Amino acid sequence: SINYNPMKNLRNIFLVLFTINIVFGNEIEKNKILNIMVDINYELINPKKQNLDIYFDYPFSYNLEDQTLFATNNRELKKLFKKIRKGFKKDYSYSDWKKMNVKLLNNNIAIVNAMFSRLNKNSETYYTGAAMYIFRKTENKWKVFSITPLKPYNYFEFD
């Protein structure tokens, strides 16, 4: 004989719907973060017109192999990025994302592993690198609060 339990069936339906909601919710958040990465890239092309408070949270850290640079406000962050850009070639034009992968650690922290290329004024790639971008969700907006440059061979995708 078949044992029909409406409460058990209702519970199973609820679990399936709950799981679907979480999966789609995570994908929506990941897409929001990827869109911000694209926006940040365009914002950093012209250092004079940067409105960094939209995309970055403070205190901000830029983690090099031998030191960490900090910024606690928009003015300091502009100086930090200006210092970093001084190391770029004279004919640097812009950067282009090659790969990006997002991992949500919880509801308010996410990591983006990104591979990028720097291009000159002729749109020729002269450098490929990777970096980890760590995001925090504040006031319902994702913002970067830490960047760690990596060698491109250290790029990996999250499970």
Side-chain angles (χ1 to χ4, degrees):
S1 81
I2 297 175
N3 187 4
Y4 178 73
N5 183 339
M7 291 308 289
K8 187 174 181 180
N9 288 343
L10 187 59
R11 184 192 63 156
N12 289 341
I13 290 170
F14 176 76
L15 286 174
V16 167
L17 291 175
F18 182 73
T19 303
I20 289 170
N21 187 37
I22 288 174
V23 169
F24 283 126
N26 285 347
E27 290 307 311
I28 289 168
E29 292 302 308
K30 287 179 180 181
N31 284 332
K32 285 180 186 177
I33 292 168
L34 291 173
N35 286 331
I36 292 167
M37 291 290 289
V38 171
D39 292 344
I40 288 170
N41 196 29
Y42 286 113
E43 188 72 24
L44 293 177
I45 288 172
N46 188 346
K48 291 183 169 87
K49 294 187 176 182
Q50 294 172 344
N51 187 4
L52 301 177
D53 288 338
I54 295 171
Y55 305 108
F56 294 90
D57 196 25
Y58 307 103
F60 172 84
S61 65
Y62 190 83
N63 308 296
L64 300 168
E65 283 184 43
D66 57 346
Q67 67 175 326
T68 298
L69 307 174
F70 293 98
T72 58
N73 57 48
N74 190 50
R75 193 175 114 259
E76 289 178 4
L77 188 56
K78 282 184 178 185
K79 282 177 155 178
L80 189 149
F81 282 131
K82 186 176 180 181
K83 181 177 180 178
I84 293 166
R85 281 181 75 119
K86 284 184 179 181
F88 293 4
K89 284 188 167 187
K90 295 273 188 234
D91 66 344
Y92 168 78
S93 180
Y94 64 98
S95 295
D96 187 27
W97 299 118
K98 297 298 176 195
K99 295 180 187 180
M100 289 189 284
N101 193 262
V102 179
K103 175 76 173 174
L104 295 173
L105 299 181
N106 58 42
N107 290 336
N108 296 314
I109 302 290
I111 299 175
V112 176
N113 193 11
M115 184 181 289
F116 61 90
S117 290
R118 291 187 188 138
L119 292 90
N120 62 22
K121 294 185 187 334
N122 296 325
S123 295
E124 299 165 334
T125 298
Y126 71 85
Y127 175 83
T128 298
M132 297 290 288
Y133 293 74
I134 304 178
F135 281 78
R136 175 184 297 124
K137 194 172 193 179
T138 59
E139 298 174 9
N140 211 28
K141 293 181 182 161
W142 288 103
K143 295 183 176 189
V144 176
F145 71 93
S146 185
I147 299 174
T148 304
L150 306 168
K151 302 288 183 203
Y153 52 80
N154 286 336
Y155 176 87
F156 61 91
E157 295 199 8
F158 300 110
D159 296 332

